[in-house]
Each structure stands twice: as structure tokens, then as C-alpha cells.
Amino acid sequence: ANIDPGMETDGVIVAEYDYRRAGVDEDAHASYQREFIARLAAMPGVGQVSRVAIVPLSGSGWNQGLYVDGQLQTGYPLINRVDGSYFSLVGSPIVAGRSFEPYDVPGAPNAAVVTEKFVERYLAGRDPIGRTFHFDSAPGETPPLYTVVGVARNARYSDVHDDVEPMIYLAAEQETQYGPFVSVLVRPDVPAEAVTPALVAAARDRAGVLAQVTMLSDTVKQTLVRERLMAALAGFFGVLAAALAGIGLYGVIWDTA
């Protein structure tokens, strides 16, 4: 049966950059990434671009304890950090409120887009726009407060076979803890093969930057292939175990005859 992942994976390119060897100072990560992404977005044919903390349907994940109205909630909602273009890029529409805007920057109120499942589970289906929450934090720390500005359609997170779980999207531009890695989704205006070399070359143009470029749909297919292989192996070993059990039983009967 076909499974709806809640997003359109065909035609989406995943570009992952590692610039640990580029000699970027810790306090310069934000500006370096901002300039790098702007450069990618300006390339001919690139179309829409969005940073992602977690590449969707890749098997990776991020979750955290949640407080709503000062009360610790049951379960751990799934989290990603993306740009405002993400939702239209992957075809996961905003169904209420808004996406992230250029004014969602450090120093402004922390914006969050949540999914319909989040509203159902944690807000009892009530109007979510303007509601606030925060994540669990270490003792003595004051966790940042987030304000819900929009609601996105439900989507699967790390695997197409996952149950639909509550999700929270945070604004990539409001990130405060950067590392020397950046993952980007691209929906080009032209065939993917026409822009993939340029996305790879963007790393070669800068000393110490490594790039890995794949198709999001291939990531999903690889996950399905792995699952089918594991299912086949499980079936094979089940048959083998039954055969060995039969041989063992025959051996007992033969020895005692």
C-alpha cells in the first residue's frame, strides 16, 4: 500500500556540507552559514532552499520534554529547525497562521510552527496561534519561551512507516548554537541533474568544505529497501530455524529408536 509521508519528496535535493576544516571561528558560524545559503539560493535554477537541522525521512531525529502552560506534558514531541521556505518546498502546507518570516531573527520572540497532531495532543484542539511553550532544561537554567505562529499539515518524521507524531518546527534563523555543519533542501526550477554539480562545486570553491548531495526520494527508497531486506532476512532465518528444529527433533527420535 502507498504511504503518504505528508510531503512531496520527488525532485527535492539534499545537500549536506561539512566545513570543520574551513577554519571558521565559533562566533562566525551564523554569518558564515547565512552567506553560504544566500550564495546557494542565488545559483541559476536552484529555486527554493531551506536549511534543516534534521533531514526528513532520513532515520535521524530530535525530541525533547515539553511544558505547556507550565505543565510537563506526556511524551516527547519531535523537533526540527527550518527556514520559512521549507513548508512550500516539501509541499507540507501551513493550514493556520503563518510560516517563518524574515523578522523571526535572534532577539525577536522565538517563533514556532506546530503540526495538527501537536494541536490535538497538547492543546486539546484549541486555537494554537499565540500559545506559548518551552522545552525541558537543566536545573537552574531558564529555558527560552516559544510562541506558536502557525500550524502545518501532519507529516512523518524520520521514516515513512512512522506513526504521525506531534511535531514542532523552530526558525532556523533564530538558532543560537551553531556547529560546522549545514544541511539544505533544494527544490530546483530545472531538472535536479542540472543543478547538482553546482551544489557540489559550492563546496569545492571554499577550502575545507566537504559536500554530500543526494535526492530526498532516494533516501526514502533506500529506507524501504533496507526494511524489505530485513523482512526477507527475518523470513529466511525463520525458515532456517524451523528446518534446524526439525533436524534436531529427527536426531532425537533417531537416537532413541
Side-chain angles (χ1 to χ4, degrees):
N2 290 329
I3 298 173
D4 179 12
M7 64 184 70
E8 299 168 5
T9 61
D10 289 344
V12 176
I13 301 170
V14 181
E16 298 177 275
Y17 297 96
D18 174 346
Y19 59 94
R20 282 175 292 182
R21 298 180 182 177
V24 178
D25 292 337
E26 292 235 355
D27 59 357
H29 282 308
S31 59
Y32 182 89
Q33 289 193 17
R34 192 176 297 116
E35 189 272 334
F36 188 75
I37 298 304
R39 195 156 164 259
L40 293 182
M43 290 179 177
V46 161
Q48 292 179 298
V49 176
S50 174
R51 286 168 290 184
V52 289
I54 304 295
V55 175
L57 307 176
S58 66
S60 299
W62 168 20
N63 60 18
Q64 211 161 331
L66 176 74
Y67 284 79
V68 176
D69 297 332
Q71 300 296 315
L72 179 62
Q73 304 297 301
T74 302
Y76 298 86
L78 303 168
I79 308 166
N80 206 345
R81 192 177 281 278
V82 304
D83 286 311
S85 56
Y86 173 86
F87 304 100
S88 58
L89 191 158
V90 300
S92 186
I94 299 293
V95 297
R98 65 172 177 87
S99 181
F100 301 124
E101 298 290 351
Y103 50 79
D104 293 316
V105 294
N110 292 306
V113 172
V114 300
T115 58
E116 297 161 307
K117 192 72 174 180
F118 180 99
V119 177
E120 174 190 323
R121 182 172 300 179
Y122 296 120
L123 303 178
R126 297 190 296 271
D127 181 8
I129 307 303
R131 295 290 297 274
T132 58
F133 65 85
H134 66 83
F135 296 116
D136 199 4
S137 61
E141 289 186 359
T142 301
L145 195 66
Y146 294 88
T147 301
V148 177
V149 299
V151 179
R153 193 180 79 169
N154 289 331
R156 286 176 167 81
Y157 183 78
S158 62
D159 189 293
V160 291
H161 293 297
D162 284 346
D163 291 334
V164 173
E165 296 290 345
M167 289 179 60
I168 299 169
Y169 299 96
L170 308 178
E173 194 60 31
Q174 293 183 317
E175 174 65 274
T176 58
Q177 297 179 337
Y178 286 86
F181 307 93
V182 60
S183 297
V184 178
L185 299 188
V186 175
R187 182 174 290 282
D189 295 330
V190 296
E193 57 269 21
V195 297
T196 297
L199 294 173
V200 175
R204 286 202 304 267
D205 290 346
R206 297 189 169 209
V209 180
L210 302 176
Q212 177 175 314
V213 179
T214 56
M215 297 301 297
L216 184 57
S217 56
D218 288 343
T219 300
V220 176
K221 289 172 187 173
Q222 288 166 7
T223 300
L224 293 174
V225 167
R226 284 196 300 269
E227 290 175 350
R228 288 170 187 153
L229 177 61
M230 294 303 293
L233 287 173
F236 168 76
F237 285 117
V239 171
L240 181 61
L244 291 174
I247 292 170
L249 179 61
Y250 175 80
V252 170
I253 294 172
W254 186 84
D255 280 343
T256 57

